[in-house]
Amino acid sequence: MIVAFLGTAGSGKTTITGAFGRYLEEQGHSVAYVNLDTGVKRLPYTPDIDVREIVTVEELMAEGYGPNGAIVESYDRLLPEVEKIAEKILKLEEKKECTLIDTPGQMESFLFHEFGIMLMDRLGEPLMVYLFDPEILKRPHDYCFVRFFALMIDLRLGTTTVPVLNKIDLLENEELERHRKYLEDIEYLKARLKLDPTMQGLLAYKLCSFLPEVSPPVRVVYASARNRTGFEDLETLSYEHYCTCGDLT
Amino acid sequence: MIVAFLGTAGSGKTTITGAFGRYLEEQGHSVAYVNLDTGVKRLPYTPDIDVREIVTVEELMAEGYGPNGAIVESYDRLLPEVEKIAEKILKLEEKKECTLIDTPGQMESFLFHEFGIMLMDRLGEPLMVYLFDPEILKRPHDYCFVRFFALMIDLRLGTTTVPVLNKIDLLENEELERHRKYLEDIEYLKARLKLDPTMQGLLAYKLCSFLPEVSPPVRVVYASARNRTGFEDLETLSYEHYCTCGDLT
């Protein structure tokens, strides 16, 4: 089975890829690691496939590109290699019980680049873990944003996306409970949004009213790479996903 | 009035900021330019405010950060300055007829960072121009993605977002007409999505069915910085937006 980690720069993709992989290995599973980040300096795991062998942001910057241009250019240069990379990943999947994919540092270089679209299209139905930071959850409509953003990933990549609130070791208990309530109890969220007279509140209220009709019930996972919180949930969800798809029973 | 340009790295924000500014100046308007990109190397306009005076990606990389980490860190370091930057922008807005904001190279460092949220919150109701590349429009559900992504920007930033298909000088006439049909005729798009049996097709169909209820009718602009296509539309929309808000009549 294939599990891919997606999220903005700094959301903890690389750290959780390493930590979740070690956790699975300690459970006795064989694990493969794929690094798709052309800009990462150090990895906490040994990659079986590493796109930095083809191109790195650093070498493109040495050619004269600015950091943003170099990131885009690196995926432009990976695009002709996408079939080969997909084949290698599918071969790993045959050999190992679990293949973990660490996606590009900047989420948009995957979601908005043909490299990401084409690669995901060739990998069957991987489980996509969408990592988000508690920092982005300040106002009621932010919870609506996260729920819809997970749908945008499904829409763009054709994957099944699990929203994962990461870095929960940084939260007080009552903060975590508040996040949980807003993320899981859509009626509670709608009641709070109804009190928000701004354009954002109104838009979020309307969007959340449609959410049950456009999205099947979603399980949110609460994770921390530091103390392995949520790893059991993530493992269970991965197996359930592959069982339901019929790829793994 | 304030017009901000948002889009993924490579969508043409900086180029259109410069070209649209020059166009407005040639019409006799006074224009101010704000650069929020800590990673840009060269600008085709002279910024009145430039965040690179506070921090640059390049100097953070010299401190040892990788490119992704440096981009995130640069906005972390700008965060304590956000009030001052907002005040400066509002002062420019008083002096000039039009203030153009060129947002960060990576769209996610604005949409997912408190710096972007707080700055936009302090600027009244700027018009947000969401630039997207024809490259991301390959399949019918991609048009649904773009329409909803513009809503995600409204939801996150509290702005009014105009979707702008950029770089249309690269398109053949029939390609442009196809994009126009899919982006503007929601019934046509739904009819095509109904023929798509994939999960993405189904999700897009459902989302598009709700679109008229969650979003007011949106005018899409078709632009090219190279030959100034769409600039008149953009100017008209900016004035209409500010008239309707009551900020400018």
Side-chain angles (χ1 to χ4, degrees):
Chain A
M1 69 189 190
I2 300 176
V3 180
F5 294 90
L6 185 80
T8 57
S11 61
K13 296 180 291 289
T14 301
T15 308
I16 209 169
T17 300
F20 186 57
R22 265 194 311 281
Y23 165 86
L24 292 174
E25 288 180 33
E26 285 170 27
Q27 314 277 313
H29 300 298
S30 59
V31 180
Y33 301 87
V34 178
N35 170 48
L36 300 181
D37 189 350
T38 51
V40 69
K41 287 187 92 167
R42 275 174 297 274
L43 293 174
Y45 55 84
T46 308
D48 297 88
I49 298 171
D50 191 345
V51 290
R52 293 176 304 172
E53 288 173 13
I54 304 171
V55 65
T56 69
V57 173
E58 211 168 344
E59 71 199 28
L60 291 174
M61 285 182 73
E63 282 183 25
Y65 286 92
N68 296 308
I71 292 170
V72 176
E73 176 68 17
S74 70
Y75 292 97
D76 287 350
R77 295 203 191 172
L78 282 178
L79 191 54
E81 306 294 323
V82 70
E83 302 285 357
K84 267 190 234 163
I85 297 169
E87 264 171 47
K88 280 189 192 171
I89 295 174
L90 291 170
K91 267 189 196 149
L92 278 181
E93 195 199 7
E94 278 174 28
K95 281 195 290 189
K96 304 277 185 154
E97 285 173 78
C98 193
T99 301
L100 304 181
I101 302 181
D102 188 9
T103 65
Q106 304 288 331
M107 178 168 58
E108 64 195 73
S109 20
F110 204 62
L111 265 189
F112 287 85
H113 198 288
E114 200 59 17
F115 174 76
I117 310 295
M118 285 181 71
L119 186 71
M120 282 297 124
D121 187 51
R122 276 146 187 78
L123 296 185
E125 293 210 35
L127 187 71
M128 181 59 81
V129 174
Y130 165 47
L131 297 170
F132 57 100
D133 201 292
E135 274 298 303
I136 73 162
L137 302 172
K138 305 263 193 216
R139 307 150 306 174
H141 57 257
D142 294 328
Y143 299 89
C144 174
F145 176 80
V146 162
R147 291 294 304 275
F148 265 86
F149 202 84
L151 280 183
M152 291 298 103
I153 298 170
D154 285 344
L155 181 58
R156 190 86 182 125
L157 300 178
T159 48
T160 300
T161 300
V162 189
V164 175
L165 178 64
N166 200 15
K167 307 185 186 175
I168 64 163
D169 55 289
L170 302 175
L171 297 176
E172 301 292 334
N173 266 343
E174 56 266 39
E175 285 175 300
L176 179 59
E177 280 320 302
R178 192 182 67 238
H179 292 321
R180 204 187 282 272
K181 186 93 179 139
Y182 274 114
L183 285 166
E184 293 180 9
D185 186 344
I186 194 89
E187 290 308 320
Y188 178 76
L189 174 57
K190 275 170 61 188
R192 301 307 297 259
L193 289 170
K194 225 173 178 171
L195 303 172
D196 180 354
T198 65
M199 182 279 278
Q200 282 158 297
L202 185 66
L203 176 58
Y205 181 80
K206 283 187 195 167
L207 285 168
C208 283
S209 303
F210 294 124
L211 194 57
E213 290 179 63
V214 288
S215 160
V218 165
R219 243 150 74 197
V220 180
V221 174
Y222 303 88
S224 156
R226 186 170 295 173
N227 47 35
R228 296 184 163 185
T229 320
F231 282 12
E232 212 180 312
D233 286 352
L234 217 49
E235 189 185 356
T236 311
L237 273 172
S238 310
Y239 281 107
E240 279 179 14
H241 170 68
Y242 272 87
C243 292
T244 322
C245 292
D247 296 331
L248 199 150
T249 43
Chain B
M1 69 188 191
I2 300 176
V3 180
F5 293 90
L6 185 81
T8 56
S11 61
K13 296 180 290 289
T14 300
T15 308
I16 209 170
T17 301
F20 186 56
R22 265 194 312 280
Y23 164 86
L24 292 174
E25 287 180 35
E26 285 171 25
Q27 314 276 312
H29 301 298
S30 59
V31 179
Y33 300 87
V34 178
N35 170 47
L36 299 180
D37 189 350
T38 52
V40 70
K41 288 188 93 168
R42 276 174 297 274
L43 294 174
Y45 54 84
T46 308
D48 297 87
I49 299 172
D50 190 345
V51 291
R52 292 177 304 173
E53 287 173 13
I54 305 171
V55 65
T56 67
V57 173
E58 212 168 344
E59 72 200 27
L60 292 173
M61 286 183 73
E63 282 183 24
Y65 286 92
N68 296 307
I71 292 170
V72 175
E73 176 67 18
S74 70
Y75 292 98
D76 287 351
R77 295 204 191 172
L78 282 177
L79 191 55
E81 308 293 324
V82 70
E83 301 284 356
K84 266 189 235 164
I85 296 169
E87 265 172 46
K88 280 189 193 170
I89 295 174
L90 292 169
K91 266 188 196 149
L92 278 182
E93 195 199 5
E94 278 173 28
K95 281 195 288 189
K96 305 276 186 154
E97 285 173 79
C98 192
T99 300
L100 303 182
I101 302 181
D102 187 8
T103 66
Q106 303 288 330
M107 177 167 60
E108 63 195 73
S109 23
F110 204 62
L111 266 188
F112 286 86
H113 198 288
E114 201 57 17
F115 174 76
I117 310 295
M118 285 180 72
L119 186 72
M120 283 296 124
D121 187 51
R122 276 146 188 78
L123 297 185
E125 293 211 34
L127 186 73
M128 183 58 82
V129 174
Y130 165 47
L131 297 171
F132 56 100
D133 201 293
E135 274 298 302
I136 72 164
L137 303 172
K138 305 261 194 219
R139 307 150 306 174
H141 57 258
D142 295 328
Y143 298 89
C144 173
F145 176 80
V146 162
R147 291 294 305 274
F148 265 85
F149 202 84
L151 280 184
M152 292 297 104
I153 298 169
D154 285 343
L155 182 58
R156 189 85 183 127
L157 300 178
T159 48
T160 300
T161 300
V162 188
V164 174
L165 178 64
N166 199 17
K167 307 185 186 176
I168 63 163
D169 54 290
L170 302 175
L171 298 175
E172 302 291 333
N173 266 343
E174 56 266 41
E175 286 176 299
L176 179 59
E177 280 319 303
R178 191 182 67 238
H179 292 321
R180 203 187 283 272
K181 186 94 180 140
Y182 274 115
L183 285 166
E184 293 180 9
D185 186 344
I186 194 88
E187 291 308 319
Y188 177 76
L189 175 56
K190 276 169 60 187
R192 300 308 296 260
L193 288 169
K194 225 174 178 169
L195 302 173
D196 179 354
T198 66
M199 183 279 278
Q200 283 159 296
L202 185 66
L203 176 58
Y205 182 80
K206 284 186 195 167
L207 285 167
C208 283
S209 303
F210 294 124
L211 195 58
E213 290 178 64
V214 288
S215 160
V218 164
R219 244 150 73 198
V220 181
V221 174
Y222 303 88
S224 155
R226 186 170 294 172
N227 46 34
R228 294 185 164 184
T229 321
F231 282 13
E232 211 179 312
D233 286 353
L234 217 50
E235 189 184 357
T236 311
L237 273 172
S238 311
Y239 281 107
E240 279 178 15
H241 170 67
Y242 271 87
C243 291
T244 322
C245 292
D247 295 331
L248 199 150
T249 42

